Amino acid sequence: MEQLQKAIEERGSVLSDHVIKVDQFLNHQIDTNLMVEIGREFISRFQGHDITKVLTIETSGIAPSFMAAHELNVPLVFARKKKSLTMTDHLYTSSVYSYTKEETNQITVSKDFLSSDDRVLILDDILANGQAALGLIDVVKQSGASLVGIGFVIEKSFQDGRDKLEEAGHRVESLARIKSLEGSNVTFLNEVTE
Ligand code: 5GP
């Protein structure tokens, strides 16, 4: 997705060979026009699957997932990272190790919002080692819902998240795939070479 790659190149900053900062447009300040396009692109990639819910994890997954869910006209459910006082039981839970915060969170989703009748699309902002996605997949499994696929705005293809998710049999779609951040340069892995 050209517009997204341009945003990463021009407005992202490489913090190390492994970490990119995208708070200018994705996970702190949000470029709403870009989010609309991201939502549309996700939907075009997962067309024809009768998706009934989009599932993400707070906080950074919410903006892009909202746009996709809105385009699909289905609810967006986000997993919470901290148990809310009003959510005490009747929950699906899973453990997720956070790549950036270096801590493990118990993620929770109310059983009211996912059931075996659902066809779920999981979306998130960034794929690194796949821990957040694996936690969300676990939640979907517990609910008995069908998982249509998993989408990311940005994939760091030099880390092993995609391999783990594909080995587990899931379809993965990433709108921008970063091959390398070495030398403070962003290099993309473009799937289609014509
Ligand atoms: P994973 O669960 O795939 O190991 O890590 C993904 C999560 O960690 C993302 O949702 C994102 O919040 C955070 N993350 C991983 N790598 C980066 C990065 O390079 N930059 C930023 N800003 N967040 C990252």
Side-chain angles (χ1 to χ4, degrees):
M1 197 185 158
E2 222 176 292
Q3 202 180 336
L4 173 62
Q5 288 197 0
K6 200 160 171 262
I8 295 168
E9 279 169 340
E10 292 175 1
R11 293 186 269 157
S13 45
V14 179
L15 295 188
S16 71
D17 284 357
H18 301 282
V19 179
I20 184 158
K21 193 173 178 189
V22 283
D23 63 352
Q24 221 277 343
F25 60 94
L26 183 61
N27 56 19
H28 194 6
Q29 172 171 265
I30 293 168
D31 180 333
T32 55
N33 289 321
L34 182 59
M35 285 315 120
V36 171
E37 295 308 320
I38 282 172
R40 290 189 180 137
E41 180 66 24
F42 275 134
I43 295 328
S44 78
R45 293 191 188 204
F46 289 102
Q47 256 173 10
H49 288 282
D50 297 325
I51 293 161
T52 62
K53 295 260 165 89
V54 175
L55 177 67
T56 190
I57 182 163
E58 67 177 354
T59 309
S60 313
I62 295 177
S65 307
F66 177 92
M67 297 317 306
H70 182 68
E71 283 283 316
L72 282 169
N73 196 22
V74 300
L76 166 65
V77 178
F78 66 88
R80 292 178 186 265
K81 287 181 182 160
K82 297 247 151 53
K83 253 193 187 175
S84 130
L85 285 177
T86 57
M87 279 170 61
T88 47
D89 50 15
H90 197 55
L91 299 169
Y92 305 116
T93 64
S94 193
S95 292
V96 170
Y97 178 75
S98 164
Y99 181 82
T100 42
K101 302 209 170 78
E102 297 181 336
E103 61 183 29
T104 299
N105 291 303
Q106 248 344 83
I107 66 162
T108 57
V109 172
S110 167
K111 289 186 178 171
D112 287 338
F113 304 130
L114 272 188
S115 76
S116 55
D117 296 332
D118 282 313
R119 296 181 54 75
V120 178
L121 172 63
I122 292 177
L123 297 178
D124 202 3
D125 62 339
I126 298 177
L127 173 62
N129 296 314
Q131 297 307 305
L134 289 168
L136 292 172
I137 291 167
D138 185 23
V139 163
V140 173
K141 277 196 184 137
Q142 290 173 44
S143 74
S146 313
L147 179 58
V148 166
I150 311 163
F152 300 93
V153 179
I154 299 172
E155 167 187 319
K156 293 186 294 177
S157 306
F158 55 87
Q159 292 179 288
D160 69 355
R162 174 181 278 265
D163 290 343
K164 281 187 199 146
L165 300 177
E166 286 185 338
E167 274 162 24
H170 304 293
R171 176 176 168 200
V172 178
E173 289 285 342
S174 305
L175 308 190
R177 302 183 70 192
I178 296 177
K179 187 175 162 190
S180 159
L181 293 174
E182 279 170 28
S184 296
N185 285 320
V186 184
T187 315
F188 294 102
L189 187 80
N190 287 316
E191 278 170 289
V192 186
T193 42
E194 288 171 271

